[in-house]
C-alpha cells in the first residue's frame, strides 16, 4: 500500500511511490514480481548520497511494459542515481517488444547501472546516453536490442536495426565488465570523448551464419573528436549481415581522432577485424588512432579503410598499428578500398606516422 511508511513490514506498493519519495542517500529495495512501471526519480541524489533502486537480496524484480514512452528507466536532468540488480525485459524481439528502450539518460551525470539484466527492446537506441557524462555501466547482461533482419517484421531496411548501448555526445563514461549479445546494428555505438570501454564481452552472433558489428566509434557531435580508450575486451562472431549492401560487416569500426584500441582479443569474425573510413556528414575521418598489443585470430582481413570521396576535416592519416598478433586470418594485409589519397588525405597514407 503506497500509504504505508515503506518499511519491510509495511512496504510501498509501487515504484511510482518510490520515485516521488526518495531523497539523496535513500535506497529502495524492490521485491520479486513484475512491475509495469518506470523508474523516474523526481530529484537527483548528491555526491556520496546516491538515490538507489536495488533488487531485494535473493529476489528478481522485473520491469516490463513500461507506460508512456515505453522506457523502463528515465533519467532526464538527474544525477547520482544508482540502479542495481534489476531485470528489464521487453518480452519480444524488435516491434514485438513491449519496451522501446531499457534506459534513457539525457543531461544525466554520475549515475551507476550495475548487475542488471537488460533483455529485448525495440530500439533503435536501447540504452541511450545523450549529452551525459561520468556515468558507469558495469557488470550488466545485455541481450537482443532491435533485430538482425527487420524485413521479417515487414520493415524495409538495408541493415539490422538497434544499438544496444549508444553514447551520443557523452564524455568520460565507463562501460566495464558487461556481457553483450545480439544487437541489430552495434552492441556499442560510441560518439563522444574520453570514454572508457573495458573488460567487456561483445558477441555479434544471432544464429547460424548470422551476426553483425560489435562496436562503432564515430564523431557525430559538433565538438566531438574521439580520444576514447577501448581495452581488454573480447570482440567475436561478426558474420554476414541480413541485407544487400550489408553482407560483409567489419567486426568493429574506429573513426575520429586519437582512439586507443589496445589489449583486446578479436576473433572468429568473418570479414575485416577492424576498419574505418570517411562517410560524411558525420563520420569525420580516422586520424592518430593507435591500435596496439591486440590479438587478432581467425578473422577475414586485418584492416579495411574506405574513403567515400569527401573531404575529411580531421584527416585520415597517422594511424598506428603496432605490436599486434595476427594469426590464422584469411588475409592479413591492409586493404585500402576506393581511397582517394591525393584529394582526401592530403597526400598521406592512412598508416603514415
Amino acid at each position: 500500500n503506497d500509504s504505508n511508511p515503506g518499511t519491510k513490514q509495511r512496504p510501498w506498493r509501487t515504484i511510482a511511490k518510490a520515485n516521488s519519495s526518495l531523497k539523496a542517500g535513500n535506497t529502495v529495495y524492490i521485491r520479486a514480481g513484475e512491475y509495469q512501471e518506470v523508474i523516474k526519480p523526481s530529484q537527483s541524489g548528491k555526491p556520496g548520497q546516491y538515490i538507489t533502486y536495488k533488487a531485494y537480496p535473493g529476489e528478481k524484480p522485473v520491469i516490463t511494459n513500461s507506460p508512456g514512452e515505453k522506457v523502463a528507466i528515465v533519467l532526464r536532468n538527474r544525477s547520482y542515481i544508482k540502479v542495481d540488480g534489476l531485470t528489464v525485459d521487453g518480452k519480444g524481439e524488435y516491434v514485438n517488444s513491449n519496451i522501446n528502450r531499457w534506459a534513457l539518460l539525457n543531461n544525466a551525470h554520475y549515475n551507476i547501472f550495475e548487475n542488471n539484466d537488460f533483455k529485448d527492446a525495440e530500439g533503435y537506441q536501447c540504452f541511450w546516453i545523450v549529452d551525459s557524462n561520468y556515468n558507469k555501466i558495469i557488470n550488466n547482461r545485455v541481450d537482443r536490442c532491435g533485430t538482425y533482419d527487420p524485413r521479417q517484421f515487414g520493415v524495409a531496411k538495408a541493415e539490422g536495426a538497434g544499438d544496444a548501448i549508444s553514447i551520443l555526445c557523452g564524455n568520460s563514461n565507463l562501460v566495464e565488465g558487461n556481457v553483450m549479445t545480439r544487437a541489430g546494428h552495434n552492441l556499442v555505438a560510441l560518439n563522444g570523448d574520453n570514454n572508457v570501454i573495458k573488460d567487456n564481452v561483445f558477441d555479434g552472433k544471432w544464429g547460424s551464419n548470422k551476426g553483425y558489428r560489435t562496436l562503432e566509434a564515430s564523431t557525430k557531435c559538433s565538438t566531438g573528436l574521439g580520444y576514447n580508450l577501448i581495452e581488454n575486451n573480447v570482440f567475436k562472431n561478426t558474420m554476414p549481415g541480413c541485407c544487400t549492401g550489408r553482407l560483409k560487416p567489419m567486426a568493429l569500426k574506429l573513426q575520429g581522432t586519437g582512439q586507443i584500441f589496445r589489449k583486446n582479443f578479436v576473433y572468429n569474425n568473418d570479414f575485416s577485424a577492424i576498419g574505418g573510413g570517411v562517410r560524411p556528414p558525420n563520420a569525420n575521418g580516422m586520424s592518430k588512432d593507435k591500435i596496439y598489443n591486440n590479438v587478432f585470430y581467425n578473422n577475414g582481413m586485418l584492416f579495411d579503410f574506405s574513403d567515400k570521396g569527401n573531404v575529411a576535416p580531421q584527416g585520415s592519416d597517422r594511424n598506428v598499428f603496432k605490436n599486434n598478433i595476427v594469426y590464422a586470418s584469411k588475409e592479413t594485409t591492409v586493404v585500402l578500398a576506393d581511397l582517394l589519397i591525393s584529394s582526401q588525405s592530403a597526400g598521406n597514407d592512412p598508416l603514415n606516422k
Side-chain angles (χ1 to χ4, degrees), residues 40-45 74-81 104-109 111 130-132 135:
K40 192 175 182 179
S42 61
Q43 57 184 291
S44 294
V74 178
L75 302 183
R76 287 192 177 96
N77 305 309
R78 295 290 180 265
S79 299
Y80 299 102
I81 307 296
L104 170 63
L105 283 64
N106 193 334
N107 191 34
H109 315 296
N111 301 292
V130 185
D131 295 321
S132 299
N135 299 288

Side-chain angles (χ1 to χ4, degrees), residues 44-214:
S44 294
K46 297 178 180 178
Q49 294 182 289
Y50 276 75
I51 292 174
T52 301
Y53 296 78
K54 186 177 178 68
Y56 191 85
E59 297 189 7
K60 182 181 176 180
V62 178
I63 299 176
T64 188
N65 198 28
S66 298
E69 56 191 315
K70 297 293 184 182
V71 180
I73 304 166
V74 178
L75 302 183
R76 287 192 177 96
N77 305 309
R78 295 290 180 265
S79 299
Y80 299 102
I81 307 296
K82 184 176 181 180
V83 179
D84 185 357
L86 306 184
T87 294
V88 179
D89 189 355
K91 297 189 174 183
E93 182 178 347
Y94 194 37
V95 296
N96 292 329
S97 174
N98 62 35
I99 288 176
N100 291 338
R101 294 191 173 103
W102 300 311
L104 170 63
L105 283 64
N106 193 334
N107 191 34
H109 315 296
Y110 298 100
N111 301 292
I112 300 174
F113 294 80
E114 63 179 349
N115 306 317
N116 301 290
D117 193 353
F118 297 104
K119 303 178 181 179
D120 282 348
E122 178 178 352
Y124 203 89
Q125 298 85 5
C126 293
F127 196 114
W128 203 11
I129 302 171
V130 185
D131 295 321
S132 299
N133 310 321
Y134 300 104
N135 299 288
K136 296 180 179 180
I137 316 299
I138 52 179
N139 297 332
N140 302 283
R141 178 74 173 88
V142 178
D143 181 53
R144 205 160 69 168
C145 169
T147 185
Y148 168 79
D149 188 354
R151 300 171 302 176
Q152 65 182 324
F153 298 93
V155 179
K157 283 186 175 291
E159 60 185 340
D163 291 336
I165 298 176
S166 179
I167 300 175
L168 179 62
C169 307
N171 304 323
S172 302
N173 298 287
L174 172 66
V175 179
E176 180 179 8
N178 304 283
V179 176
M180 294 174 279
T181 53
R182 295 192 299 178
H185 188 242
N186 294 292
L187 287 165
V188 169
L190 177 59
N191 297 285
D193 298 342
N194 304 311
N195 298 284
V196 176
I197 313 295
K198 64 180 293 188
D199 299 325
N200 303 284
V201 175
F202 294 75
D203 189 343
K205 186 175 183 178
W206 278 80
S208 178
N209 204 38
K210 297 194 303 184
Y212 208 66
R213 190 168 49 234
T214 57

Side-chain angles (χ1 to χ4, degrees), residues 202-205 207 209-212 214 234-240 249-251 265-273 295-301 327-330:
F202 294 75
D203 189 343
K205 186 175 183 178
N209 204 38
K210 297 194 303 184
Y212 208 66
T214 57
V234 172
F235 299 91
K236 62 181 181 178
N237 295 330
T238 297
M239 299 178 182
M250 58 191 69
F265 184 28
V266 184
Y267 79 99
N268 199 35
N269 300 288
D270 283 358
F271 309 107
S272 57
V295 175
F296 298 93
Y297 171 73
N298 194 33
N299 303 296
M301 65 185 74
Y327 180 67
S329 298
K330 297 174 185 177

Side-chain angles (χ1 to χ4, degrees), residues 276-278 305-312 316 337-340 344-345:
V278 181
F305 180 90
S306 179
D307 192 320
K308 299 302 182 181
N310 301 83
V311 174
S316 296
D338 303 322
L339 179 62
L340 303 181
Q344 303 311 320
S345 298

Side-chain angles (χ1 to χ4, degrees), residues 290-304:
K290 295 177 174 59
I291 302 166
Y292 63 93
N293 294 354
N294 302 284
V295 175
F296 298 93
Y297 171 73
N298 194 33
N299 303 296
M301 65 185 74
L302 171 61
F303 175 59
D304 185 1

